[in-house]
Amino acid sequence: MITVENLTKSFQGIPVLNGVSLDVQSGSVLGVVGPSGAGKSTLARCVALLERPDSGAIRVDGTDLTALGGTALRNARRQIGVVPQGDSLLRQRTAAGNIALPLESAGVPGPQRRSRVGELLDLVGLTDKAGSYPDQLSGGQRQRIAVARALAAGPSVLLADEPTSALDPETTGSVLTVLDRARAELGVTVLVVTHDMAVVRKICDDVAVLEEGRVVENGKLLDLIGDSNSRTASALLPAVDLNPVNESNFDRVADVVLVGFAAVGALLPEASHRFGVEVNLLGGGLTRLAETPVARFRLGITGERADSALEWISEAGGVVRRTLKGPQGVAA
Protein backbone atom coordinates (compact mmCIF):
# COMPACT_ATOMS: atom_id res chain seq x y z
CA MET A 1 0.00 0.00 0.00
CA ILE A 2 2.62 2.57 1.10
CA THR A 3 6.26 2.22 0.13
CA VAL A 4 8.87 4.75 1.18
CA GLU A 5 12.24 4.36 -0.53
CA ASN A 6 15.44 6.05 0.63
CA LEU A 7 13.68 9.26 1.65
CA THR A 8 15.80 12.28 2.57
CA LYS A 9 14.80 15.71 3.82
CA SER A 10 16.83 18.61 5.19
CA PHE A 11 15.88 22.00 6.59
CA GLN A 12 18.44 24.79 6.22
CA GLY A 13 21.10 22.21 5.51
CA ILE A 14 20.32 20.12 8.61
CA PRO A 15 19.30 16.51 7.76
CA VAL A 16 15.97 15.49 9.28
CA LEU A 17 15.32 12.30 7.30
CA ASN A 18 18.32 10.29 6.19
CA GLY A 19 17.59 7.38 3.84
CA VAL A 20 14.27 6.28 5.35
CA SER A 21 12.70 3.18 3.77
CA LEU A 22 9.43 1.57 4.90
CA ASP A 23 6.67 -0.72 3.67
CA VAL A 24 3.15 -0.41 5.11
CA GLN A 25 0.79 -3.24 4.22
CA SER A 26 -2.77 -2.52 3.12
CA GLY A 27 -5.24 -2.44 6.00
CA SER A 28 -2.57 -2.38 8.70
CA VAL A 29 -1.62 0.14 11.39
CA LEU A 30 2.04 1.23 11.46
CA GLY A 31 3.30 3.07 14.51
CA VAL A 32 6.21 5.45 13.86
CA VAL A 33 7.93 6.02 17.19
CA GLY A 34 11.10 7.60 18.47
CA PRO A 35 12.40 10.47 20.58
CA SER A 36 11.55 14.11 19.98
CA GLY A 37 13.39 15.38 16.91
CA ALA A 38 13.77 11.92 15.36
CA GLY A 39 11.95 13.01 12.18
CA LYS A 40 8.59 11.31 12.82
CA SER A 41 6.32 14.24 11.95
CA THR A 42 8.46 15.20 8.95
CA LEU A 43 8.10 11.66 7.63
CA ALA A 44 4.30 11.85 7.94
CA ARG A 45 4.20 15.24 6.21
CA CYS A 46 6.38 13.92 3.39
CA VAL A 47 4.18 10.86 2.89
CA ALA A 48 1.19 13.21 2.53
CA LEU A 49 3.27 15.48 0.26
CA LEU A 50 2.65 18.39 2.62
CA GLU A 51 6.45 18.59 2.51
CA ARG A 52 8.44 17.72 -0.58
CA PRO A 53 11.31 15.34 0.20
CA ASP A 54 14.74 16.19 -1.17
CA SER A 55 15.09 12.73 -2.70
CA GLY A 56 13.56 9.29 -2.63
CA ALA A 57 10.19 7.87 -3.62
CA ILE A 58 6.79 7.67 -1.90
CA ARG A 59 4.48 5.12 -3.51
CA VAL A 60 0.82 4.75 -2.61
CA ASP A 61 -0.87 1.86 -4.41
CA GLY A 62 2.14 1.77 -6.76
CA THR A 63 2.00 5.45 -7.75
CA ASP A 64 5.07 7.54 -6.94
CA LEU A 65 3.61 10.73 -5.48
CA THR A 66 6.92 12.58 -5.79
CA ALA A 67 6.68 12.29 -9.58
CA LEU A 68 3.25 13.94 -9.73
CA GLY A 69 2.19 17.55 -10.03
CA GLY A 70 -0.89 19.65 -10.67
CA THR A 71 -4.20 17.82 -11.03
CA ALA A 72 -2.63 14.37 -10.76
CA LEU A 73 -1.08 15.23 -7.40
CA ARG A 74 -4.30 16.77 -6.09
CA ASN A 75 -6.22 13.64 -7.06
CA ALA A 76 -3.63 11.41 -5.40
CA ARG A 77 -3.73 13.47 -2.20
CA ARG A 78 -7.45 12.77 -1.89
CA GLN A 79 -6.46 9.19 -1.10
CA ILE A 80 -4.57 10.39 1.99
CA GLY A 81 -6.42 11.74 5.02
CA VAL A 82 -4.40 13.70 7.56
CA VAL A 83 -5.08 14.22 11.26
CA PRO A 84 -2.73 17.08 12.17
CA GLN A 85 -0.98 17.38 15.49
CA GLY A 86 -2.90 19.53 17.98
CA ASP A 87 -6.37 21.04 17.85
CA SER A 88 -7.13 21.77 14.19
CA LEU A 89 -10.91 22.30 14.10
CA LEU A 90 -12.45 25.54 12.83
CA ARG A 91 -14.10 27.31 15.78
CA GLN A 92 -16.86 28.93 13.72
CA ARG A 93 -18.09 25.56 12.43
CA THR A 94 -20.04 22.86 14.26
CA ALA A 95 -18.73 19.32 14.56
CA ALA A 96 -20.79 18.33 11.51
CA GLY A 97 -19.61 21.43 9.64
CA ASN A 98 -15.96 20.58 10.28
CA ILE A 99 -16.45 17.05 8.96
CA ALA A 100 -18.28 18.38 5.90
CA LEU A 101 -15.53 20.84 4.96
CA PRO A 102 -13.50 18.55 2.64
CA LEU A 103 -16.72 17.35 1.02
CA GLU A 104 -17.77 20.92 0.31
CA SER A 105 -14.34 21.62 -1.19
CA ALA A 106 -14.76 18.58 -3.45
CA GLY A 107 -18.21 19.77 -4.60
CA VAL A 108 -20.17 16.85 -3.11
CA PRO A 109 -23.93 17.60 -3.29
CA GLY A 110 -25.77 18.45 -0.07
CA PRO A 111 -27.77 15.21 0.41
CA GLN A 112 -24.70 13.00 -0.12
CA ARG A 113 -22.65 15.29 2.09
CA ARG A 114 -25.12 15.08 4.97
CA SER A 115 -25.34 11.31 4.64
CA ARG A 116 -21.56 10.93 4.75
CA VAL A 117 -21.24 13.25 7.74
CA GLY A 118 -23.89 11.21 9.57
CA GLU A 119 -22.00 7.98 8.88
CA LEU A 120 -18.77 9.41 10.21
CA LEU A 121 -20.37 10.89 13.32
CA ASP A 122 -21.69 7.41 14.04
CA LEU A 123 -18.25 5.88 13.42
CA VAL A 124 -16.60 8.17 15.98
CA GLY A 125 -19.50 7.85 18.44
CA LEU A 126 -20.50 11.52 18.42
CA THR A 127 -23.84 11.62 16.63
CA ASP A 128 -25.31 13.60 19.52
CA LYS A 129 -22.59 16.28 19.13
CA ALA A 130 -23.32 17.11 15.47
CA GLY A 131 -24.49 20.65 16.27
CA SER A 132 -21.86 21.40 18.93
CA TYR A 133 -19.04 23.84 18.33
CA PRO A 134 -15.42 22.88 19.12
CA ASP A 135 -15.32 24.93 22.33
CA GLN A 136 -18.29 22.89 23.57
CA LEU A 137 -16.40 19.62 23.07
CA SER A 138 -13.75 17.94 25.18
CA GLY A 139 -10.23 17.51 23.83
CA GLY A 140 -10.87 13.85 23.01
CA GLN A 141 -14.13 14.65 21.25
CA ARG A 142 -12.42 17.33 19.16
CA GLN A 143 -9.76 14.82 18.15
CA ARG A 144 -12.36 12.25 17.16
CA ILE A 145 -14.07 14.88 14.99
CA ALA A 146 -10.67 15.62 13.41
CA VAL A 147 -10.34 11.93 12.56
CA ALA A 148 -13.84 11.93 11.04
CA ARG A 149 -12.95 14.99 8.94
CA ALA A 150 -9.79 13.25 7.67
CA LEU A 151 -11.94 10.28 6.64
CA ALA A 152 -14.66 12.35 4.95
CA ALA A 153 -13.39 12.04 1.39
CA GLY A 154 -12.98 8.25 1.68
CA PRO A 155 -9.16 8.03 1.70
CA SER A 156 -7.35 4.72 1.53
CA VAL A 157 -4.57 6.02 3.83
CA LEU A 158 -4.89 7.88 7.13
CA LEU A 159 -1.94 9.72 8.68
CA ALA A 160 -2.32 10.68 12.34
CA ASP A 161 0.40 12.86 13.88
CA GLU A 162 0.50 12.47 17.69
CA PRO A 163 -3.28 11.96 17.84
CA THR A 164 -3.30 11.39 21.62
CA SER A 165 -0.84 14.03 22.83
CA ALA A 166 -2.02 15.83 25.99
CA LEU A 167 -4.99 13.48 26.42
CA ASP A 168 -5.69 11.47 29.57
CA PRO A 169 -5.63 7.63 29.37
CA GLU A 170 -9.41 7.19 29.11
CA THR A 171 -9.72 9.82 26.38
CA THR A 172 -6.69 8.36 24.60
CA GLY A 173 -8.48 5.02 24.51
CA SER A 174 -11.54 6.51 22.81
CA VAL A 175 -9.41 8.13 20.08
CA LEU A 176 -7.46 4.91 19.47
CA THR A 177 -10.72 2.97 19.24
CA VAL A 178 -11.81 5.31 16.44
CA LEU A 179 -8.54 4.77 14.53
CA ASP A 180 -8.89 1.02 14.94
CA ARG A 181 -12.50 1.14 13.71
CA ALA A 182 -11.39 3.11 10.65
CA ARG A 183 -8.99 0.31 9.81
CA ALA A 184 -11.42 -2.52 10.60
CA GLU A 185 -14.65 -1.10 9.15
CA LEU A 186 -13.39 1.13 6.33
CA GLY A 187 -10.27 -0.81 5.34
CA VAL A 188 -8.09 2.27 5.79
CA THR A 189 -4.32 1.86 6.12
CA VAL A 190 -3.16 3.88 9.13
CA LEU A 191 0.23 5.46 9.80
CA VAL A 192 0.30 6.89 13.32
CA VAL A 193 3.16 9.04 14.61
CA THR A 194 3.52 8.86 18.37
CA HIS A 195 5.90 9.11 21.30
CA ASP A 196 3.50 7.05 23.44
CA MET A 197 4.16 3.31 23.42
CA ALA A 198 0.65 2.78 24.83
CA VAL A 199 -0.59 3.70 21.33
CA VAL A 200 1.59 0.96 19.85
CA ARG A 201 0.39 -1.53 22.45
CA LYS A 202 -3.27 -0.75 21.72
CA ILE A 203 -3.62 -0.64 17.92
CA CYS A 204 -0.40 -1.20 15.95
CA ASP A 205 0.42 -4.19 13.76
CA ASP A 206 3.86 -2.93 12.77
CA VAL A 207 6.43 -0.57 14.27
CA ALA A 208 9.16 1.66 12.83
CA VAL A 209 11.58 3.23 15.32
CA LEU A 210 13.25 6.44 14.11
CA GLU A 211 16.36 7.96 15.61
CA GLU A 212 18.17 10.98 14.18
CA GLY A 213 16.30 10.61 10.90
CA ARG A 214 17.08 6.93 10.39
CA VAL A 215 15.02 3.78 10.81
CA VAL A 216 16.84 1.81 13.52
CA GLU A 217 14.17 -0.89 13.97
CA ASN A 218 11.26 -1.95 11.80
CA GLY A 219 8.97 -4.95 11.61
CA LYS A 220 5.82 -6.69 12.76
CA LEU A 221 5.10 -6.01 16.40
CA LEU A 222 4.68 -9.65 17.39
CA ASP A 223 8.01 -10.50 15.73
CA LEU A 224 9.92 -7.68 17.41
CA ILE A 225 8.83 -8.59 20.92
CA GLY A 226 10.52 -11.96 20.55
CA ASP A 227 13.91 -10.31 20.02
CA SER A 228 15.65 -9.73 23.35
CA ASN A 229 17.70 -6.92 21.77
CA SER A 230 14.64 -5.12 20.39
CA ARG A 231 13.88 -1.61 21.64
CA THR A 232 10.22 -2.33 21.06
CA ALA A 233 10.35 -5.40 23.29
CA SER A 234 12.14 -3.44 26.01
CA ALA A 235 9.48 -0.73 25.90
CA LEU A 236 6.39 -2.95 25.76
CA LEU A 237 7.08 -6.14 27.68
CA PRO A 238 6.98 -6.45 31.48
CA ALA A 239 10.38 -6.14 33.18
CA VAL A 240 11.80 -9.44 34.43
CA ASP A 241 14.63 -8.40 36.73
CA LEU A 242 12.79 -6.44 39.39
CA ASN A 243 14.05 -8.64 42.26
CA PRO A 244 17.53 -10.13 42.73
CA VAL A 245 17.51 -13.92 42.31
CA ASN A 246 20.01 -16.50 43.55
CA GLU A 247 20.29 -18.47 40.32
CA SER A 248 22.23 -21.25 42.06
CA ASN A 249 18.94 -22.36 43.65
CA PHE A 250 17.77 -23.65 40.25
CA ASP A 251 19.12 -26.01 37.62
CA ARG A 252 18.31 -23.52 34.89
CA VAL A 253 17.18 -19.89 34.79
CA ALA A 254 15.66 -18.49 31.56
CA ASP A 255 13.67 -15.56 30.23
CA VAL A 256 10.67 -16.68 28.19
CA VAL A 257 8.32 -14.69 25.95
CA LEU A 258 4.93 -16.30 25.28
CA VAL A 259 2.42 -14.97 22.71
CA GLY A 260 -1.26 -15.84 22.44
CA PHE A 261 -3.95 -17.30 24.67
CA ALA A 262 -2.83 -20.92 24.32
CA ALA A 263 0.86 -20.20 24.91
CA VAL A 264 0.33 -17.92 27.90
CA GLY A 265 -2.16 -20.24 29.56
CA ALA A 266 -0.79 -23.70 28.86
CA LEU A 267 2.88 -23.97 27.86
CA LEU A 268 4.49 -23.69 31.28
CA PRO A 269 2.17 -26.12 33.13
CA GLU A 270 2.45 -28.55 30.23
CA ALA A 271 6.27 -28.35 30.26
CA SER A 272 6.30 -29.00 34.00
CA HIS A 273 4.02 -32.04 33.64
CA ARG A 274 5.73 -33.44 30.54
CA PHE A 275 9.29 -33.32 31.84
CA GLY A 276 8.77 -33.71 35.57
CA VAL A 277 10.33 -30.35 36.43
CA GLU A 278 9.37 -27.60 38.84
CA VAL A 279 8.82 -24.25 37.13
CA ASN A 280 9.06 -21.14 39.34
CA LEU A 281 8.11 -17.61 38.20
CA LEU A 282 10.91 -15.31 39.37
CA GLY A 283 9.84 -12.10 37.62
CA GLY A 284 7.98 -10.60 34.72
CA GLY A 285 4.26 -10.49 34.03
CA LEU A 286 1.46 -10.27 31.49
CA THR A 287 0.38 -7.55 29.07
CA ARG A 288 -1.76 -7.23 25.95
CA LEU A 289 -0.80 -6.11 22.47
CA ALA A 290 -4.11 -5.18 20.85
CA GLU A 291 -6.22 -8.28 21.61
CA THR A 292 -3.26 -10.65 21.96
CA PRO A 293 -2.06 -11.62 25.45
CA VAL A 294 1.72 -11.61 25.80
CA ALA A 295 3.87 -12.68 28.74
CA ARG A 296 7.52 -12.30 29.61
CA PHE A 297 8.67 -14.34 32.59
CA ARG A 298 11.95 -15.14 34.23
CA LEU A 299 11.78 -18.84 35.10
CA GLY A 300 13.73 -20.87 37.61
CA ILE A 301 13.53 -24.55 36.63
CA THR A 302 14.52 -27.45 38.87
CA GLY A 303 14.79 -31.02 37.63
CA GLU A 304 17.01 -33.33 35.61
CA ARG A 305 15.15 -32.58 32.38
CA ALA A 306 15.24 -28.76 32.71
CA ASP A 307 17.05 -28.37 29.38
CA SER A 308 14.53 -30.59 27.62
CA ALA A 309 11.67 -28.56 29.08
CA LEU A 310 13.16 -25.31 27.78
CA GLU A 311 13.80 -26.83 24.34
CA TRP A 312 10.19 -28.02 24.18
CA ILE A 313 8.86 -24.57 25.15
CA SER A 314 10.96 -23.11 22.33
CA GLU A 315 9.74 -25.68 19.80
CA ALA A 316 6.14 -24.97 20.87
CA GLY A 317 6.52 -21.30 19.94
CA GLY A 318 7.92 -19.67 23.05
CA VAL A 319 11.01 -17.48 22.78
CA VAL A 320 13.59 -18.72 25.29
CA ARG A 321 16.78 -17.05 26.39
CA ARG A 322 18.78 -18.76 29.07
CA THR A 323 20.36 -16.38 31.52
CA LEU A 324 22.88 -18.53 33.40
CA LYS A 325 26.52 -17.69 32.68
CA GLY A 326 28.64 -20.13 30.74
CA PRO A 327 27.43 -22.49 28.00
CA GLN A 328 23.83 -22.23 29.20
CA GLY A 329 23.69 -18.51 28.51
CA VAL A 330 22.50 -18.77 24.92
CA ALA A 331 19.15 -18.58 23.18
CA ALA A 332 17.30 -21.83 22.74
Side-chain angles (χ1 to χ4, degrees):
M1 166 58 75
I2 306 172
T3 301
V4 177
E5 296 178 357
N6 201 29
L7 209 65
T8 67
K9 179 67 179 179
S10 297
F11 291 104
Q12 297 181 338
I14 300 173
V16 178
L17 299 177
N18 196 346
V20 171
S21 294
L22 291 171
D23 280 304
V24 188
Q25 297 301 309
S26 179
S28 67
V29 179
L30 170 71
V32 179
V33 302
S36 178
K40 307 185 298 294
S41 293
T42 299
L43 174 61
R45 290 180 61 81
C46 284
V47 170
L49 263 293
L50 299 174
E51 295 279 357
R52 278 276 183 181
D54 298 331
S55 64
I58 302 164
R59 293 188 173 86
V60 176
D61 285 339
T63 300
D64 184 0
L65 303 188
T66 63
L68 302 179
T71 302
L73 179 58
R74 287 193 294 273
N75 290 337
R77 277 178 173 162
R78 292 195 184 102
Q79 294 302 307
I80 303 174
V82 178
V83 184
Q85 187 171 350
D87 189 351
S88 60
L89 299 185
L90 297 179
R91 281 335 196 235
Q92 70 274 25
R93 280 180 168 254
T94 63
N98 270 279
I99 297 171
L101 185 60
L103 300 173
E104 293 173 10
S105 299
V108 176
Q112 291 176 242
R113 193 167 64 237
R114 288 188 288 273
S115 175
R116 178 64 174 166
V117 169
E119 293 170 1
L120 291 168
L121 283 167
D122 180 63
L123 179 79
V124 302
L126 292 173
T127 299
D128 60 333
K129 300 295 183 181
S132 299
Y133 288 88
D135 289 339
Q136 297 171 313
L137 303 174
S138 69
Q141 289 170 339
R142 288 196 293 270
Q143 195 69 326
R144 285 149 66 188
I145 293 298
V147 173
R149 182 181 61 187
L151 294 169
S156 58
V157 175
L158 181 66
L159 303 181
D161 189 359
E162 296 285 4
T164 62
S165 61
L167 299 180
D168 61 67
E170 182 177 351
T171 305
T172 291
S174 68
V175 174
L176 296 181
T177 296
V178 166
L179 293 176
D180 198 38
R181 287 190 70 185
R183 178 265 298 271
E185 298 180 22
L186 304 180
V188 175
T189 302
V190 181
L191 189 155
V192 56
V193 169
T194 183
H195 68 280
D196 185 357
M197 293 304 286
V199 174
V200 175
R201 180 180 283 110
K202 177 73 174 176
I203 64 168
C204 290
D205 305 298
D206 305 281
V207 180
V209 181
L210 263 62
E211 190 172 283
E212 296 182 347
R214 296 180 181 274
V215 176
V216 295
E217 185 168 290
N218 181 30
K220 291 192 174 300
L221 180 58
L222 294 180
D223 291 339
L224 291 174
I225 62 169
D227 181 353
S228 61
N229 298 316
S230 163
R231 304 179 190 213
T232 303
S234 297
L236 293 179
L237 293 180
V240 294
D241 54 351
L242 299 180
N243 301 308
V245 174
N246 186 353
E247 295 184 347
S248 64
N249 291 337
F250 308 97
D251 292 308
R252 293 292 181 268
V253 174
D255 291 344
V256 177
V257 176
L258 306 173
V259 178
F261 290 95
V264 169
L267 279 189
L268 300 187
E270 177 67 14
S272 178
H273 175 74
R274 229 176 233 259
F275 297 96
V277 297
E278 181 181 344
V279 178
N280 298 276
L281 300 183
L282 308 180
L286 294 165
T287 188
R288 276 183 178 268
L289 301 180
E291 297 303 315
T292 302
V294 177
R296 178 163 64 177
F297 297 124
R298 178 156 291 170
L299 307 178
I301 302 180
T302 304
E304 293 183 359
R305 302 181 69 191
D307 284 329
S308 297
L310 288 173
E311 289 170 6
W312 181 82
I313 292 170
S314 178
E315 290 169 0
V319 179
V320 178
R321 179 165 288 273
R322 308 183 194 195
T323 62
L324 280 177
K325 296 179 180 178
Q328 287 80 28
V330 295

